């Protein structure tokens, strides 16, 4: 296993490039199950999660060729069983349920396992597919689902915490080959859903409203292969903006969609950082002065993303004053607090929220990564801390950030990847 060793206290400068979106790549790769045609997908991030999805597609009968950031998928799906061994390693693989049902009208998919960021039920996924006439049951840790014929329907897919990204994705994909019209109300509006909708349209699906709370899909008989370029990763871009603010740096984030990050940009500008759109694809962030503390409440898109909550907390940990962090999407997503406090932060939990008292200085220490975004927050803390920080279990980071150490070292950081 590997760890990161970070020498902190350095300003960053220059350009850093954003890779393709992890959370759009997973459903888009799964959507290739809907066609026997050849799909060529470009700008795919080289991540552990992308490889896991490719392994899963191969186990379902697809031929998958990976060359750099391009993935070519061909052949017909010939197996409707998504194995526990693969699904349990990555929750995102549960989004093969919808395309398997759309293409084969049957699916046996392992239920996703537990997750450190909180309780993650699948009731909305089940509600959505059953509205399309699917009979679904749970057996031995698997979802067993089948239908004589999927039939379009109108459904409300809002849950306790609002919309669900992957439930929306699963229903969208199943409905593309269903008979008749499907209307998803309270659909997730995340840019990843918009990207998935664009990919499905490129395959010949009849779909409207993707990226809005109301998605309308008219089923077609067949979908075709296509060639498609992934959008860039807004969470990776947001992480870089927050890293620049925390290290009082001036960097240009290349291939970052400003409109996908409005909640974060608005927050950064309100606390005193300079954030500007440069051309149509880049964002410049400059931060020289001491920032002001500010509270956040996370919400589904276009609200403040839960996947940037931990990184924002790391910024507030070194911002003088008190800020309150409330995660309304994953209320228990606070595994990073204890590790940040090991580095000298002053953060405490209170009912459903975290209260951050900003400190002047963090200090390097050995810390443990617990999940993908918590690890990014620890890297941020390591970049600003006095001395050396060792981050263990960085396999969590490699799940969602492509070559993070290389990218950061190219703009002046000192991060080394070493054996634990
Ligand atoms: C996606 O997960 C992302 N993962 C997550 O990113 C992200 O945190 C999340 O959306 C929210 O933005 C991928 O795209 C692979 P949800 P997803 O269903 O779709 C509740 C990262 O760091 N809910 O939108 O699984 C759920 O418990 C990962 O990259 C139900 O109640 O999340 C949560 O509170 C972590 N019933 C809320 O909805 C359901 O059936 C939103 O979850 C489904 C979800």
């Amino acid at each position: 296993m590997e760890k990161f060793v970070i020498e902190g206290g350095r300003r960053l400068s220059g350009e850093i490039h954003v890779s393709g979106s992890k959370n759009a790549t997973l459903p888009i790769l799964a959507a290739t199950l809907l066609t026997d045609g050849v799909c060529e997908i470009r700008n795919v991030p080289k991540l552990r999660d992308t490889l896991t999805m490719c392994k899963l597609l191969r186990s379902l009968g697809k031929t998958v060729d990976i060359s750099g950031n391009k993935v070519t998928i061909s052949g017909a799906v010939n197996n409707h069983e998504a194995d526990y061994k693969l699904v349990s390693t990555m929750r995102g693989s549960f989004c093969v349920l919808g395309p398997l049902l759309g293409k084969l009208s049957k699916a046996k998919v392992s239920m996703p396992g537990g997750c450190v960021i909180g309780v993650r039920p699948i009731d909305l996924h089940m509600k959505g597919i059953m509205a399309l006439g699917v009979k679904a049951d749970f057996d031995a840790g698997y979802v067993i689902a089948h239908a004589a014929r999927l039939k379009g329907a109108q459904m409300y897919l809002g849950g306790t915490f609002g919309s669900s990204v992957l439930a929306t994705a699963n229903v969208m994909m199943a409905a593309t080959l269903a008979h008749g019209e499907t209307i998803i109300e309270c659909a997730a509006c995340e840019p990843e859903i918009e990207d998935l909708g664009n990919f499905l349209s490129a395959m010949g699906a009849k779909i409207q409203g993707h990226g809005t709370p109301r998605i309308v899909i008219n089923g077609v008989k067949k979908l075709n292969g296509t060639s498609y370029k992934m959008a860039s990763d807004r969470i990776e871009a947001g992480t870089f903006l927050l890293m620049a603010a925390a290290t009082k740096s001036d960097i240009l984030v290349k291939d970052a969609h400003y409109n996908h990050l409005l909640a974060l940009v608005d927050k950064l500008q309100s606390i005193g950082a300079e954030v500007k759109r440069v051309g149509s694809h880049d964002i410049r962030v400059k931060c020289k002065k001491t920032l002001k503390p500010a509270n956040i409440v996370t919400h589904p898109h276009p609200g403040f993303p839960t996947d940037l909550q931990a990184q924002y907390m790391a910024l507030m940990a070194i911002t003088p004053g008190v800020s309150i962090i409330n995660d309304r999407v994953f209320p228990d997503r606070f595994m990073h607090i204890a590790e940040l406090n090991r580095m000298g932060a002053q953060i405490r939990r209170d009912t459903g929220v975290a209260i951050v008292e900003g400190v002047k200085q963090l200090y390097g220490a050995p810390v443990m990564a617990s999940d993908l975004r918590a690890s990014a927050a620890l890297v941020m803390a390591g970049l600003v801390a006095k001395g050396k920080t060792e981050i263990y279990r960085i396999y969590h980071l490699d799940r969602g950030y492509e070559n993070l150490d290389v990218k950061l070292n190219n703009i002046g950081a000192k991060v080394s990847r070493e054996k634990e």
Side-chain angles (χ1 to χ4, degrees):
M1 283 223 273
E2 293 179 315
K3 66 179 178 182
F4 270 178
V5 178
I6 304 177
E7 299 277 345
R10 307 162 79 99
R11 281 231 162 100
L12 309 176
S13 63
E15 299 184 354
I16 190 163
H17 186 267
V18 180
S19 300
S21 164
K22 169 191 80 93
N23 288 345
T25 294
L26 300 180
I28 285 178
L29 289 176
T32 64
L33 292 164
L34 291 162
T35 179
D36 300 348
V38 177
C39 292
E40 183 195 82
I41 305 173
R42 291 165 282 120
N43 197 29
V44 171
K46 280 186 267 179
L47 301 169
R48 271 165 52 100
D49 280 7
T50 310
L51 291 179
T52 305
M53 184 55 88
C54 290
K55 273 193 211 136
L56 182 54
L57 294 178
R58 287 191 185 105
S59 76
L60 297 170
K62 296 291 242 182
T63 302
V64 182
D65 297 310
I66 304 174
S67 122
N69 292 100
K70 187 172 76 177
V71 179
T72 307
I73 301 148
S74 54
V77 53
N78 59 18
N79 169 20
H80 69 284
E81 297 199 15
D83 192 62
Y84 168 75
K85 286 199 213 66
L86 283 169
V87 176
S88 60
T89 61
M90 180 184 75
R91 288 186 62 83
S93 32
F94 193 65
C95 69
V96 298
L97 177 70
L100 285 173
L101 284 167
K103 189 72 166 65
L104 303 174
S105 301
K106 61 181 176 179
K108 178 177 177 183
V109 179
S110 167
M111 289 166 68
C115 178
V116 293
I117 70 175
V119 184
R120 300 179 74 178
I122 56 169
D123 56 313
L124 295 172
H125 298 253
M126 306 316 289
K127 178 181 177 185
I129 59 170
M130 291 159 98
L132 299 175
V134 170
K135 302 249 171 317
D137 226 329
F138 301 109
D139 181 34
Y142 280 81
V143 171
I144 317 276
H146 62 92
R149 183 168 194 206
L150 272 68
K151 198 167 171 314
Q154 180 172 27
M155 65 188 77
Y156 178 81
L157 218 50
T160 318
F161 303 95
S163 56
S164 160
V165 177
L166 289 183
T168 301
N170 261 327
V171 176
M172 275 167 80
M173 292 188 272
T176 53
L177 294 174
H179 181 68
E181 181 174 78
T182 296
I183 302 175
I184 307 175
E185 306 285 2
C186 196
C189 306
E190 271 68 5
E192 295 76 38
I193 290 293
E194 201 177 335
D195 214 6
L196 173 63
N198 293 341
F199 178 70
L200 292 169
S201 304
M203 292 209 292
K206 292 204 170 19
I207 184 163
Q208 291 165 317
H210 39 294
T212 78
R214 188 169 201 272
I215 300 177
V216 180
I217 304 138
N218 279 287
V220 295
K221 289 213 168 15
K222 182 175 169 296
L223 291 174
N224 314 308
T226 188
S227 173
Y228 190 80
K229 181 177 182 217
M230 296 298 316
S232 67
D233 195 310
R234 69 189 166 103
I235 302 298
E236 185 188 17
T239 303
F240 293 154
L241 296 181
L242 286 158
M243 283 176 170
T247 55
K248 301 271 176 291
S249 300
D250 176 349
I251 63 170
L252 183 67
V253 183
K254 300 285 287 177
D255 203 9
H257 288 277
Y258 193 90
N259 293 346
H260 290 175
L261 287 161
L262 294 176
L264 173 66
V265 169
D266 177 66
K267 186 57 70 176
L268 282 172
Q269 289 169 337
S270 73
I271 63 175
E274 275 180 58
V275 186
K276 283 204 190 81
R277 188 199 301 262
V278 177
S280 54
H281 289 304
D282 306 337
I283 301 177
R284 179 153 180 214
V285 51
K286 206 162 97 177
C287 184
K288 293 225 173 321
K289 55 183 188 196
T290 304
L291 298 173
K292 290 178 292 199
N295 306 342
I296 57 161
V297 181
T298 71
H299 287 286
H301 189 84
F304 194 99
T306 172
D307 294 346
L308 289 174
Q309 177 257 100
Q311 301 93 314
Y312 182 79
M313 185 187 289
L315 176 62
M316 288 297 108
I318 50 155
T319 301
V322 175
S323 52
I324 297 173
I325 301 205
N326 186 343
D327 197 320
R328 284 272 173 79
V329 179
F330 292 111
D332 301 317
R333 190 178 197 171
F334 289 125
M335 295 292 284
H336 36 287
I337 293 181
E339 298 306 303
L340 289 171
N341 284 348
R342 287 174 53 75
M343 299 177 72
Q346 297 286 329
I347 308 169
R348 57 190 168 79
R349 286 286 307 272
D350 197 342
T351 336
V353 300
I355 300 170
V356 185
E357 283 176 55
V359 297
K360 280 205 174 44
Q361 179 71 68
L362 294 178
Y363 298 89
V367 290
M368 192 69 77
S370 56
D371 62 85
L372 172 56
R373 308 305 171 182
S375 341
L378 296 179
V379 172
M380 260 180 77
L383 291 172
V384 296
K386 203 176 177 83
K388 197 166 72 171
T389 299
E390 292 174 291
I391 305 177
Y392 288 82
R393 297 189 186 162
I394 52 164
Y395 58 82
H396 287 291
L397 266 172
D398 292 335
R399 294 192 51 188
Y401 292 91
E402 188 178 32
N403 302 327
L404 183 61
D405 46 336
V406 177
K407 289 185 179 184
L408 289 175
N409 288 340
N410 286 344
I411 56 169
K414 203 159 184 316
V415 183
S416 56
R417 180 185 286 266
E418 298 174 9
K419 288 260 166 291
E420 278 196 358

